[in-house]
Amino acid sequence: MTKASALIVDDEADIRELVEITLTRMGLKTQSAATLAEAHALLAERKFDFCITDMRLPDGNGLSLIQHIQREIPCMPVAMITAYGNAQAAVESLKAGAFDFVSKPVDLATLRKLVDSALKLRKNDTTDTADQELLGTHESIRNLRAMIERLARSQAPVHIAGESGTGKERVAQLIHKQGPRGQSPFMPVNCGAIPTELMESEFFGHVKGSFTGAVRDKQGLFQSAEGGTLFLDEVADLPLHMQVKLLRAVQERSVRPVGAETEVPVNVRIISATHKNLNDLVNQGAFRQDLYYRLNVIEVRTPPLRDRADDIPLLSEHILTRLARDNGLSAPPKLEAQAQRQLREYNFPGNVRELENILERAITMCDGKVISASDLQLRPSAPVQFSSAVANENAALGDHIEEIEKRAIREALEKARYNKTRAAELLGMSFRSLRYRIKKLGIE
């Protein structure tokens, strides 16, 4: 690969020289400009692989240069140099399309990491990855795939909004995988699943002896995700005291382990998600507005399944193929016409996750070749309520169905004197399907 080239735009000669020396030592060819006009002239006459610009320039604003590059050279990453502590400028630059930002005084280690991440984009080919892993032909899914591809070329914090079961974590994984951090850790954490008293230690780590039970030093989630992505699922469930600490970590790009005297710099990209309306929570005082603006620099919405019913046959085929493989079937069963019609008419309050659960149950109940409408066991459609109450109701329903399955399998095993082949015949399923369900449901 040819030597990468960088354009440095800053009216302060000492900063230009510092950045030039750093990038030259990294093996880059550099050109510098002191004004917007000079930068535009250089961009017009030659090609660059990377650009870094100051926010304030004698003849204009660095944001306009970022916007120009986004329009004319969208594949070239551009970073912004902002004044120390100017969080608003940093957020504005990311919203305008900046790859990342660095604050004055420029920390050379941070700058080198930023440039290294930006140049990794030259080596990534992400043309087909999203199409392979985010199934669907509906316009909303096509737009989502295009958005993922754009966001993968940035380091901006992303917030993914959408109902439960719409694939928010899958979207976060694709943004991570297709970007320059793709070979580094992807650390998902459910913010509602961590006990409040352990949150600070889990996120930031602790040093030995900092509290009862701290028998050794422990890395937190931020440090474990170093160089990669930290995915904060259900971020709306964070208590207010933890929101304050998270805001500082995001702004300062450093964390202080519990019991430590100094902060540790961290290099992670933050992607958050929730099925709740964060803006409403901000208005209610349940979520900090300043943290909301730092996490929600760019918002992505995952579409509900009922809005793209035409994708259900494709999704069903993909899910059934995977389930057949897991069940040891030679071929996936086919959905009969009435079953397909019922799936298209169902409103799917649990979205794609619920479709997976329905088909998993159906493949157990069917004869192994054809799934009938009765095998689906769909509930009557009801208006979808966008609240955690519905999520809890769906979870309770899933638990209830599992208990029914367990009871039916246990009764069949007892009648067959624990001969699994005979029990499978009584249940009208294959031996491999029964073995799979016994293992999945944890039946002794």
Side-chain angles (χ1 to χ4, degrees):
M1 186 176 288
T2 57
K3 184 180 285 190
S5 60
L7 174 61
I8 302 157
V9 187
D10 201 301
D11 61 330
E12 296 183 49
D14 56 343
I15 292 181
R16 282 202 311 274
E17 184 178 2
L18 176 66
V19 176
E20 276 192 272
I21 291 171
T22 303
L23 270 55
T24 300
R25 288 177 176 171
M26 292 178 69
L28 280 74
K29 295 184 293 184
T30 62
Q31 286 275 112
S32 62
T35 65
L36 271 179
E38 290 178 21
H40 281 290
L42 286 168
L43 287 168
E45 69 183 38
R46 59 172 296 184
K47 179 182 177 181
F48 293 94
D49 298 296
F50 173 71
C51 175
I52 184 166
T53 178
D54 193 12
M55 173 65 87
R56 294 187 178 183
L57 296 166
D59 55 345
N61 192 304
L63 286 175
S64 67
L65 181 61
I66 291 176
Q67 291 162 349
H68 169 78
I69 291 172
Q70 279 290 296
R71 286 193 307 270
E72 305 298 328
I73 326 168
C75 290
M76 185 179 79
V78 53
M80 176 71 82
I81 301 174
T82 63
Y84 175 75
N86 193 339
Q88 183 178 354
V91 170
E92 286 177 0
S93 68
L94 293 170
K95 282 184 177 289
F99 170 80
D100 207 345
F101 68 92
V102 62
S103 299
K104 295 179 181 178
V106 177
D107 179 79
L108 297 185
T110 300
L111 176 62
R112 283 191 288 268
K113 287 180 181 178
L114 186 156
V115 174
D116 185 57
S117 292
L119 294 181
K120 283 180 182 176
L121 290 172
R122 300 172 76 213
K123 306 172 186 176
N124 285 0
D125 180 7
T126 64
T127 307
D128 298 323
T129 308
D131 292 300
Q132 294 169 359
E133 299 199 40
L134 199 63
L135 296 175
T137 59
H138 190 270
E139 183 183 8
S140 63
I141 288 296
R142 295 200 306 271
N143 291 339
L144 182 55
R145 283 197 289 261
M147 174 67 83
I148 288 170
E149 189 174 340
R150 289 197 298 273
L151 293 178
R153 303 187 63 83
S154 167
Q155 298 299 291
V158 174
H159 179 67
I160 305 170
E163 296 174 24
S164 294
T166 50
K168 296 188 289 295
E169 183 169 347
R170 172 64 62 85
V171 171
Q173 288 173 332
L174 288 171
I175 293 171
H176 166 79
K177 185 177 178 181
Q178 295 181 36
R181 298 176 181 267
Q183 300 304 310
S184 298
F186 176 84
M187 295 291 297
V189 53
N190 187 326
C191 296
I194 304 175
T196 303
E197 64 274 13
L198 297 178
M199 275 191 173
E200 191 172 354
S201 171
E202 286 295 311
F203 276 99
F204 309 134
H206 63 250
V207 298
K208 179 180 178 181
S210 56
F211 55 84
T212 303
V215 295
R216 63 180 183 277
D217 290 356
K218 177 191 172 184
Q219 280 194 336
L221 290 163
F222 271 85
Q223 292 162 288
S224 297
E226 178 65 23
T229 301
L230 181 59
F231 175 54
L232 304 174
D233 197 10
E234 297 305 340
V235 70
D237 292 340
L238 284 175
L240 285 169
H241 81 275
M242 196 62 205
Q243 292 177 29
V244 177
K245 296 178 184 296
L246 178 61
L247 174 64
R248 176 171 175 78
V250 173
Q251 286 187 164
E252 303 301 325
R253 299 187 177 189
S254 63
V255 298
R256 178 176 292 181
V258 177
E261 296 183 359
T262 57
E263 294 193 337
V264 179
V266 289
N267 171 30
V268 298
R269 184 181 192 180
I270 301 292
I271 300 180
S272 60
T274 184
H275 70 280
K276 299 178 182 178
N277 188 316
L278 272 189
N279 193 49
D280 286 350
L281 293 177
V282 169
N283 293 334
Q284 296 164 16
F287 200 86
R288 290 183 63 94
Q289 187 177 54
D290 44 11
L291 179 59
Y292 171 73
Y293 286 131
R294 289 313 301 264
L295 295 179
N296 196 33
V297 173
I298 300 173
E299 183 173 271
V300 177
R301 290 198 166 270
T302 50
L305 184 55
R306 64 185 167 278
D307 287 355
R308 54 185 188 108
D310 288 345
D311 284 341
I312 290 175
L314 175 63
L315 290 167
S316 298
E317 182 180 354
H318 176 76
I319 293 167
L320 286 172
T321 299
R322 173 172 53 79
L323 289 172
R325 185 176 63 247
D326 293 344
N327 279 270
L329 301 178
S330 58
K334 302 295 183 182
L335 284 162
E336 67 172 22
Q338 178 64 16
Q340 289 191 38
R341 187 159 51 251
Q342 281 196 11
L343 287 175
R344 288 175 64 88
E345 293 172 355
Y346 186 60
N347 64 22
F348 285 101
N351 294 291
V352 178
R353 187 182 299 138
E354 185 178 10
L355 175 62
E356 291 178 341
N357 291 339
I358 288 169
L359 293 177
E360 185 175 16
R361 183 169 68 245
I363 208 171
T364 302
M365 304 302 293
C366 77
D367 62 7
K369 295 180 180 179
V370 178
I371 293 176
S372 67
S374 61
D375 292 328
L376 297 176
Q377 298 183 357
L378 295 182
R379 293 175 295 146
S381 292
V384 179
Q385 303 294 323
F386 305 103
S387 69
S388 57
V390 168
N392 293 335
E393 180 187 332
N394 290 339
L397 179 66
D399 292 342
H400 180 60
I401 290 170
E402 281 197 356
E403 284 303 316
I404 293 173
E405 284 190 62
K406 285 181 181 179
R407 188 161 61 246
I409 290 172
R410 287 193 181 110
E411 287 176 0
L413 286 169
E414 288 174 4
K415 286 181 181 178
R417 297 178 182 272
Y418 295 93
N419 181 317
K420 292 179 183 176
T421 302
R422 176 62 183 145
E425 291 174 358
L426 292 172
L427 290 165
M429 67 174 67
S430 70
F431 172 76
R432 288 182 176 178
S433 293
L434 175 61
R435 186 173 60 185
Y436 173 77
R437 297 306 296 170
I438 287 173
K439 181 178 178 182
K440 181 173 177 61
L441 296 170
I443 297 172
E444 297 297 331

